[in-house]
Amino acid sequence: MRYRLGSFILLIYILVGLYVAWLHDYITPTLLKQVAQALIAVFLWFLVLLGVDLHIGG
């Protein structure tokens, strides 16, 4: 039971932190787009080596 309560508190802490960072413009739509592109490139690295353009939106 303690493990679940600790995990729940950690999740709430992270969500509040994300919300505050969004409000103060530390997280922007441009940043989210760049992170998404980077994650796609990491997980689909073999396509990058084959010359596939994984940029989102052009």
Side-chain angles (χ1 to χ4, degrees):
M1 186 69 179
R2 279 186 160 172
Y3 175 73
R4 287 188 182 188
L5 180 61
S7 295
F8 181 70
I9 292 172
L10 180 63
L11 177 65
I12 296 298
Y13 183 84
I14 290 171
L15 290 175
V16 170
L18 287 170
Y19 179 72
V20 170
W22 182 271
L23 284 180
H24 291 276
D25 293 326
Y26 290 107
I27 299 174
T28 62
T30 303
L31 176 67
L32 295 177
K33 181 180 172 184
Q34 291 172 345
V35 169
Q37 286 178 173
L39 288 174
I40 289 170
V42 167
F43 288 111
L44 300 176
W45 58 267
F46 54 91
L47 293 177
V48 175
L49 292 178
L50 294 174
V52 176
D53 183 17
L54 298 177
H55 287 95
I56 298 172

